[in-house]
Amino acid sequence: MKYDLLKSASLLALFSLFTAAMYACTGSDDPSAPEKDTEKSSSSAMPLMSSIQVTEVSPIRFQQAAANPTPDETIFTFNGSAILDGWDTTANADSENDPFFTGIELILAHVNDAGENEQAMVELQYTAPTFPQSAINLSEMGVSINDPAKTQCGTFKLFVLLYATNDPENPNKFASVDSLTFERKPESCLPDPEPESSSAADVIVSDVPLNMFRGNMSTSTTYGFSFTQEKEVLMEQAQIRVETDETGALTLYGVNGYRVVKYNNAKDRNFDDDYSSKLLPSIPAHISDFRFNETKLAESAEKFDIDYFWIVIGPAFNADTGDDFFAVTLESKDVPDGNGVRPLTIIYFKK
């Protein structure tokens, strides 16, 4: 962009003339404050791709654009920008005025199986800028797709058509188009799975009170944790152990005949009993506070962390007496020592 005092004064004059022309056309009561409406592209209002007409010569320069999806791809936000090359002597050959943007059209197309552009079924949302403008920024316009209904997946193209001029009497003197291709994966349009509810069979009714304890253990391959001794012990005396992988993820193991399973409390729509190291049940607790499926008890359970409780069942488990029943969660994990062993603090319930 040129930074010349005479050109800047000329550009301000052009802006004033363009605004006045727009005021005369729209009949607005306040030309200094035109409305900003949130736009939505729709299949009924969208022009066909063949209707896009661009000029061979244009000072419009697009910067790289990108699509940024959320993990579930229900929302896409877009960034990208465009500026005007005031030093383009070809585009400005017939004028001493610097160019400025006068309009924008955003078109969202879906690429069908034949590789052809068709009108997208999802809507594009944005807030149109007030013209004239010296630059365009898609992020500032809030260009996005918000489609929790999972209307359409596949390959899409976002077309950005920009208009500019250096002559207020010819607002669409220059027209350029750029496009961005992005994908919404097919699995992102699959229906949400029905939440797995806890059945009555998961609930073991027991009046035996359970008290809360804290303990220290580690990811040592030599030691495990004993709920009965309430401390870390040699593996042959332990009931659980924990391993860590190269990413720091933890896996809980039952040892010496003990098995483990994550509780079912988090599998329904009731959040009040989704107990974790930050949300503990009332004390004393009971076995029925921790719902679990006995048929899913296993030697190990992945992703042992602070967000849930895991049930530990031993060979002598008795629901009526509370024997060999333990519920455990991770409270904290420290950095590994020189041997890669990570100290852990756990919270657990037992009778």
Side-chain angles (χ1 to χ4, degrees):
M1 187 67 67
K2 293 177 281 186
Y3 294 95
D4 183 281
L5 290 177
L6 292 176
K7 285 291 186 70
S8 297
S10 176
L11 181 60
L12 288 174
L14 277 170
F15 272 34
S16 299
L17 287 172
F18 179 79
T19 304
M22 293 294 289
Y23 172 52
C25 293
T26 62
S28 170
D29 293 333
D30 185 2
S32 65
E35 293 183 359
K36 279 189 175 183
D37 295 327
T38 300
E39 304 287 343
K40 290 186 178 181
S41 70
S42 65
S43 58
S44 60
M46 186 180 305
L48 297 174
M49 300 301 125
S50 60
S51 69
I52 297 179
Q53 301 294 325
V54 299
T55 56
E56 183 176 352
V57 175
S58 172
I60 298 171
R61 303 290 181 263
F62 290 96
Q63 310 299 311
Q64 186 173 9
N68 310 293
T70 56
D72 62 359
E73 295 192 345
T74 57
I75 298 175
F76 282 76
T77 57
F78 299 90
N79 61 272
S81 59
I83 58 174
L84 292 158
D85 183 3
W87 294 102
D88 187 334
T89 55
T90 302
N92 289 328
D94 58 350
S95 174
E96 289 296 316
N97 301 319
D98 276 338
F100 54 90
F101 287 107
T102 58
I104 184 172
E105 291 182 38
L106 299 180
I107 301 170
L108 184 64
H110 179 260
V111 182
N112 62 27
D113 293 339
E116 301 168 337
N117 296 326
E118 60 184 11
Q119 294 170 344
M121 297 169 59
V122 294
E123 290 187 336
L124 189 68
Q125 301 180 4
Y126 62 95
T127 300
T130 303
F131 290 101
Q133 290 284 334
S134 59
I136 297 295
N137 188 301
L138 299 184
S139 295
E140 292 178 358
M141 291 170 56
V143 180
S144 64
I145 296 170
N146 190 340
D147 182 38
K150 304 179 179 182
T151 307
Q152 189 176 36
C153 277
T155 301
F156 294 85
K157 285 185 179 180
L158 174 63
F159 291 88
V160 182
L161 177 61
L162 291 176
Y163 299 97
T165 190
N166 54 18
D167 179 1
E169 295 183 359
N170 183 13
N172 294 345
K173 180 177 179 180
F174 306 115
S176 294
V177 67
D178 193 23
S179 65
L180 168 67
T181 302
F182 62 97
E183 182 185 12
R184 191 183 191 190
K185 295 187 291 293
E187 54 266 31
S188 296
C189 286
L190 295 176
D192 293 327
E194 289 295 324
E196 183 179 344
S197 60
S198 296
S199 65
D202 296 333
V203 181
I204 297 177
V205 178
S206 174
D207 294 329
V208 178
L210 305 177
N211 292 311
M212 188 185 79
F213 300 83
R214 279 183 171 83
N216 296 312
M217 63 178 299
S218 69
T219 58
S220 167
T221 57
T222 306
Y223 293 90
F225 190 82
S226 169
F227 296 117
T228 55
Q229 299 183 52
E230 301 176 3
K231 63 179 182 180
E232 191 170 52
V233 296
L234 289 171
M235 197 67 72
E236 57 265 24
Q237 302 170 16
Q239 291 149 332
I240 60 169
R241 67 181 179 91
V242 176
E243 281 187 6
T244 183
D245 64 15
E246 62 277 3
T247 68
L250 302 176
T251 298
L252 176 68
Y253 287 83
V255 295
N256 300 318
Y258 284 78
R259 295 175 297 161
V260 298
V261 67
K262 188 167 75 173
Y263 74 169
N264 288 341
N265 295 35
K267 294 183 177 180
D268 57 25
R269 299 183 183 276
N270 178 21
F271 303 110
D272 294 338
D273 63 358
D274 292 355
Y275 301 125
S276 66
S277 64
K278 306 299 182 184
L279 177 63
L280 298 169
S282 300
I283 300 173
H286 300 86
I287 292 178
S288 55
D289 291 320
F290 305 98
R291 301 190 295 278
F292 67 99
N293 190 329
E294 289 189 70
T295 63
K296 294 186 178 181
L297 286 162
E299 179 185 343
S300 64
E302 297 179 342
K303 300 180 181 179
F304 179 61
D305 217 315
I306 65 172
D307 301 324
Y308 306 104
F309 266 86
W310 280 259
I311 309 305
V312 182
I313 296 294
F317 171 61
N318 186 313
D320 295 329
T321 64
D323 292 342
D324 254 359
F325 174 90
F326 310 96
V328 61
T329 186
L330 182 71
E331 183 175 36
S332 65
K333 49 188 174 183
D334 294 331
V335 296
D337 62 17
N339 296 318
V341 176
R342 193 167 197 173
L344 310 173
T345 302
I346 59 174
I347 296 174
Y348 59 96
F349 285 81
K350 69 171 187 173
K351 76 166 187 176

